[in-house]
Amino acid sequence: DQQVKQNSPSLSVQEGRISILNCDYTNSMFDYFLWYKKYPAEGPTFLISISSIKDKNEDGRFTVFLNKSAKHLSLHIVPSQPGDSAVYFCAASAWVGDMRFGAGTRLTVKP
Amino acid sequence: GAGVSQSPRYKVAKRGQDVALRCDPISGHVSLFWYQQALGQGPEFLTYFQNEAQLDKSGLPSDRFFAERPEGSVSTLKIQRTQQEDSAVYLCASSLQGAPEEQFFGPGTRLTVL
C-alpha cells in the first residue's frame, strides 16, 4: 500500500517563479517528514525536513509546510532556478528504519 | 570526508546467478539502510542495520535476499538465484544515529537481470 503519495509526476515552472510540490500521506503515526532531491545516476540528496510538532520549516529558498489534519505536506521553492530541475521525493517516518517514499515529482525549471 | 559509496555501479546478471552488492557508509554512521528503487518509483525499504545488528528485514521481498554488516561498517546485499523482477536500482543509505533523521544515500547499483 502506498502510504506516501505524490500525485503529480511532473511539474514545469518558469525561472524566478514559485515551485510547489505536494505530498499526501495516510499513516497518522508518521511524525518526521523529509524532502529529497535526485539527479540522474545519483542517489537522493537530503533537502529539508520537518517534525510533526512544527507546521513550517524554512531553509533559504526552500520551505516545507505540514498540515497534519489534512495529512499533507508541500515544498515551496522560491525563486525557482534551472539548477533546481530534478526529481523530488517526499518521505515520511514513524521510527528509525521505516522511511517511506513517494514516487517522486519531476520538476523542470525553464530559463 | 567521503560520502556513501556503492559498488559495482552497474551489474548485469543472467537469471539464476547470485550477485553481491557492496555499500561503504559514511565513517561513524551507526545506521545503514538498503532500498530497492524500481523504474519510476520511489525507494522501497528493504532492511536496516544499527551497527552490526540487523534490526528490521521486513522489506526483503523473498528469502533469496540476504544482507549483512558483520563489523558494523561495510554492508553487503546478496541476491541468490536472481530473477528478472529483481532488476532495479539498489540504494544504500547511512545515518549518524538511530533516530529518524536525514539519511545520506549512495549513488546506487543498477542491477539488470537478463
Side-chain angles (χ1 to χ4, degrees):
Chain A
D1 63 344
Q2 197 76 11
Q3 296 189 37
V4 178
K5 297 181 182 179
Q6 293 176 257
N7 291 320
S8 297
S10 62
L11 174 68
S12 181
V13 300
Q14 207 67 35
E15 180 179 7
R17 306 295 290 270
I18 184 171
S19 295
I20 300 177
L21 296 98
N22 294 301
C23 177
D24 297 290
Y25 62 95
T26 58
N27 188 344
S28 58
M29 298 299 291
F30 287 144
D31 61 3
Y32 192 69
F33 305 88
L34 308 92
W35 283 94
Y36 282 84
K37 177 179 178 180
K38 186 181 183 305
Y39 293 117
E42 295 182 11
T45 302
F46 170 75
L47 199 54
I48 193 169
S49 64
I50 188 168
S51 74
S52 59
I53 61 172
K54 293 185 174 182
D55 55 17
K56 177 182 175 181
N57 188 26
E58 191 172 352
D59 183 2
R61 296 186 297 114
F62 302 92
T63 303
V64 55
F65 295 92
L66 175 62
N67 182 333
K68 283 176 290 185
S69 60
K71 294 191 178 68
H72 178 84
L73 66 156
S74 60
L75 174 68
H76 292 210
I77 307 173
V78 183
S80 302
Q81 300 174 353
D84 296 330
S85 297
V87 177
Y88 289 78
F89 290 101
C90 169
S93 177
W95 61 278
V96 63
D98 187 31
M99 189 171 291
R100 304 297 178 109
F101 286 80
T105 297
R106 180 177 301 278
L107 173 66
T108 303
V109 180
K110 297 181 178 178
Chain B
V4 178
S5 61
Q6 293 185 246
S7 60
R9 290 294 312 275
Y10 302 92
K11 176 69 179 177
V12 178
K14 291 184 179 178
R15 191 170 53 182
Q17 277 186 327
D18 298 349
V19 298
L21 313 180
R22 177 187 169 108
C23 172
D24 284 84
I26 293 173
S27 177
H29 276 197
V30 167
S31 300
L32 185 145
F33 309 83
W34 283 100
Y35 293 87
Q36 179 189 61
Q37 185 176 17
L39 192 64
Q41 300 297 317
E44 294 271 349
F45 170 78
L46 293 177
T47 186
Y48 156 59
F49 290 86
Q50 189 161 338
N51 296 307
E52 68 278 3
Q54 189 174 20
L55 298 188
D56 188 348
K57 53 182 182 179
S58 62
L60 296 176
S62 77
D63 58 7
R64 295 185 295 103
F65 286 71
F66 172 76
E68 60 183 2
R69 194 186 185 199
E71 297 178 359
S73 179
V74 171
S75 177
T76 303
L77 175 67
K78 297 178 179 177
I79 309 173
Q80 297 177 322
R81 305 180 304 281
T82 52
Q83 303 294 315
Q84 282 189 319
E85 63 263 26
D86 300 335
S87 297
V89 174
Y90 290 85
L91 292 163
C92 174
S94 69
S95 66
L96 184 59
Q97 300 174 12
E101 58 187 346
E102 61 182 277
Q103 297 177 13
F104 296 83
F105 282 82
T109 295
R110 179 176 295 280
L111 173 65
T112 303
V113 181
L114 303 177

